[in-house]
Amino acid sequence: MEAPPIDKAPADSSVTLAHIMSEHDTNLYGTVHGGAVMRLVDDAAAAAAGRHAGCPAVTVSVDGMSFLAPVRAGDLLSVRARVEWAGRTSMAVGVDVTAERWNSSGPTAQVATARLTFVAIDADGAPRVVPGLCPETPEERRRFEEVAAKRLRR
């Protein structure tokens, strides 16, 4: 029998993806298509969930996504994801997206936020037990409790 996984801190799963958005990413309005941002969000969240689980993890749901400001070609998007809650096989991943011009060091603007749920899977595609989450900072504890409360209400 396999030993239970050792609990991890949110920092252990933190991932930041950076991508310069191009004209190929834009929509008819001249701003970056929301789907292009969503793909980067899902990629970063999957990496964070996989880091926490120590195995592949698949997207179960996008529990919420808010677009806060437009993104333009030439913007450097930074997509930061971290596990905010972990259950037996599932994980809630929070994502923050900021943008800045590719050729300057600021200012940055928050352009989107999201929360997704992932399930860890084994080689056969069956759900797999994941480590618990040990929030360390007051902000991590607040996020953990917020997700736990939402899950109880479901």
Side-chain angles (χ1 to χ4, degrees):
M1 182 171 187
E2 196 173 319
I6 297 171
D7 291 354
K8 294 182 178 180
D12 295 332
S13 68
S14 184
V15 171
T16 301
L17 273 168
H19 185 77
I20 298 173
M21 305 311 287
S22 74
E23 291 177 358
H24 297 292
D25 299 310
T26 59
N27 58 29
L28 297 175
Y29 304 106
T31 57
V32 171
H33 194 285
V37 176
M38 291 173 78
R39 178 184 177 122
L40 294 172
V41 164
D42 192 48
D43 285 348
R51 278 186 176 183
H52 181 80
C55 63
V58 295
T59 310
V60 171
S61 65
V62 177
D63 303 321
M65 179 143 188
S66 298
F67 295 95
L68 308 172
V71 177
R72 305 198 184 299
D75 281 352
L76 173 65
L77 242 55
S78 294
V79 184
R80 181 178 174 264
R82 72 253 158 235
V83 173
E84 295 181 333
W85 177 89
R88 195 175 85 71
T89 62
S90 63
M91 299 155 282
V93 180
V95 183
D96 293 308
V97 184
T98 59
E100 61 186 305
R101 295 307 293 169
W102 69 273
N103 59 350
S104 68
S105 60
T108 61
Q110 187 168 25
V111 296
T113 61
R115 182 170 283 140
L116 300 85
T117 299
F118 284 79
V119 168
I121 58 170
D122 63 19
D124 297 322
R128 179 178 160 181
V129 174
V130 300
L133 190 70
C134 291
E136 296 177 324
T137 69
E139 178 65 15
E140 290 170 352
R141 283 189 283 282
R142 182 190 66 76
R143 290 176 184 254
F144 181 91
E145 290 166 6
E146 182 180 287
V147 175
K150 283 182 181 180
R151 294 185 66 85
L152 276 176
R153 286 192 296 269
R154 284 187 191 164

